Amino acid sequence: MESQQEESAAAAALDMIKVLEITSEGHKGTKESSDDRSEVASGKQTTDWLTDLDEVEEILHYKFKNKKLLEEALTHASFSDQCFSYERLEYVGDSVLNLLFTKEQYLLYPDLPPGALTRLRSANVNTEKLARVAIKHKLHRYLRHKMPLLEEQIREFSQAILDYPLHSNGLVDTPKALADIVEAAIGAVFIDSNFSIDFVWKIFKDLLEPIISQETLKVHPVTELYEVCQKRNLKVKFVDLWKENMAFDVFIDDQFVGRGIYGLKKEIAHNRAAENALNNIRKILSEKDCSDVDEQNIYRVEN
């Protein structure tokens, strides 16, 4: 099943690229209308905004032939009532990025099965990983939007990830717009470079660092909790209290071992409950293992 999903994802990305290559001439022919649309979205073109675009080009180490693509990649749908935002470029960038990691990891790990390749790719292209890229290179400073809560969400995310140098595995609330602009920038470069997959990888490989490898890939806390308990024939039960008090409780063999609380997203509360239970069960199992060793030593001495 996972192998079929891997093949389907790659095939879909390749089909999209073929379509884009066929329509590339049409894109060039509609450049004037695209420019008009951009002008409506941004209002008056200011010197500061043009300077911002230049700064983003410096971050990417890439000079756009059609700078309107970059402008579009940095414009959220909330910024204007007009149909001008990064959403289409994000769609393109998402497909391109998945294909790039599929290709790179297929070559880098010739003996890795499809399921493991899928998990590794997902870790490198998911929302939190790409949002970290935006923060690291300060791309969020150039996002045009009218979302009053976004700035505070970005500050909270920037602070939260300090506790997780590589990835939190679902324990941190991630503003999706951060990941969106990274994918949109990838889509913009892909189109501006005449749909060159290899060129996009050349531009973004270093920007996407640190890339999660097979050695640094961590198991999701929910998955790890089930694995730890399964090895010891322990029964795990999550109790959903999110509607009542924004929490999940975790019981192992009917004993309470952990709780996770988060009011904005149910999934994060669930993940945090698993992480809390893992930390507690490790202590319990460690103490039990030590107790078992002590009992064995006493038995040897007495006999």
Side-chain angles (χ1 to χ4, degrees):
M1 177 65 70
E2 289 175 324
S3 178
Q4 292 176 347
Q5 292 175 346
E6 183 84 13
E7 292 172 359
S8 297
L14 286 170
D15 288 343
M16 183 208 69
I17 292 168
K18 290 176 182 178
V19 171
L20 286 172
E21 287 174 343
I22 293 170
T23 59
S24 63
E25 292 301 319
H27 178 84
K28 294 174 184 176
T30 58
K31 180 178 179 180
E32 183 177 351
S33 61
S34 174
D35 290 356
D36 292 342
R37 184 180 58 173
S38 171
E39 201 66 42
V40 172
S42 62
K44 185 172 68 174
Q45 287 281 16
T46 65
T47 303
D48 287 344
W49 175 239
L50 293 175
T51 301
D52 285 349
L53 295 180
D54 291 339
E55 290 177 1
V56 175
E57 287 182 326
E58 291 178 8
I59 292 171
L60 300 179
H61 299 293
Y62 177 73
K63 194 75 173 176
F64 278 82
K65 303 178 190 72
N66 179 7
K67 197 167 286 194
K68 296 299 180 183
L69 285 168
L70 180 57
E71 181 179 354
E72 186 174 341
L74 297 169
T75 303
H76 188 268
S78 66
F79 187 76
S80 172
D81 293 333
Q82 306 298 319
C83 297
F84 181 80
S85 75
Y86 59 57
E87 292 177 355
R88 283 170 55 81
L89 289 176
E90 175 206 345
Y91 161 76
V92 174
D94 174 68
S95 297
V96 170
L97 188 60
N98 273 275
L99 181 58
L100 283 169
F101 271 102
T102 298
K103 173 187 174 183
E104 289 299 315
Q105 291 169 353
Y106 178 83
L107 296 174
L108 188 60
Y109 301 103
D111 299 322
L112 210 59
L117 287 171
T118 298
R119 288 189 291 273
L120 193 55
R121 181 184 63 187
S122 176
N124 281 289
V125 303
N126 66 26
T127 300
E128 182 185 327
K129 181 63 172 68
L130 297 181
R132 287 170 174 264
V133 173
I135 294 296
K136 178 180 178 181
H137 299 288
K138 298 181 171 59
L139 291 173
H140 60 287
R141 294 169 52 192
Y142 305 98
L143 173 61
R144 299 194 300 175
H145 67 90
K146 291 181 181 178
M147 295 181 288
L149 300 179
L150 182 59
E151 298 302 326
E152 180 59 29
Q153 291 170 349
I154 290 174
R155 278 192 290 271
E156 291 177 359
F157 174 75
S158 301
Q159 187 64 34
I161 60 176
L162 296 177
D163 294 330
Y164 309 96
L166 191 60
H167 205 291
S168 79
N169 278 301
L171 301 177
V172 169
D173 194 356
T174 305
K176 183 176 179 296
L178 293 177
D180 290 346
I181 58 174
V182 174
E183 290 179 329
I186 290 171
V189 171
F190 175 64
I191 294 172
D192 197 65
S193 64
N194 198 25
F195 310 101
S196 172
I197 287 285
D198 292 335
F199 186 81
V200 171
W201 185 244
K202 179 181 178 182
I203 294 296
F204 282 93
K205 182 179 180 180
D206 290 340
L207 292 170
L208 294 169
E209 292 286 354
I211 291 174
I212 297 173
S213 66
Q214 180 67 7
E215 293 72 30
T216 59
L217 178 66
K218 292 186 177 180
V219 181
H220 191 281
V222 175
T223 303
E224 186 175 1
L225 178 63
Y226 278 110
E227 289 178 350
V228 168
C229 292
Q230 187 177 21
K231 289 178 181 178
R232 294 176 176 264
N233 294 317
L234 301 173
K235 182 181 177 181
V236 180
K237 180 182 179 182
F238 283 87
V239 178
D240 185 351
L241 303 172
W242 196 74
K243 288 184 178 179
E244 292 82 7
N245 56 13
M246 304 176 293
F248 273 84
D249 285 351
V250 183
F251 291 82
I252 295 180
D253 280 356
D254 297 323
Q255 293 186 357
F256 175 78
V257 293
R259 168 172 289 188
I261 301 174
Y262 192 73
L264 297 180
K265 289 184 180 178
K266 185 176 182 178
E267 180 184 4
I268 292 178
H270 184 259
N271 295 340
R272 289 182 178 182
E275 179 73 7
N276 184 239
L278 265 174
N279 292 334
N280 292 331
I281 197 67
R282 286 191 188 107
K283 293 177 184 177
I284 295 171
L285 293 176
S286 177
E287 291 171 359
K288 184 178 184 301
D289 290 343
C290 290
S291 176
D292 290 344
V293 170
D294 290 340
E295 289 180 2
Q296 291 174 6
N297 290 336
I298 292 172
Y299 177 81
R300 290 194 187 101
V301 170
E302 292 178 344
N303 293 274

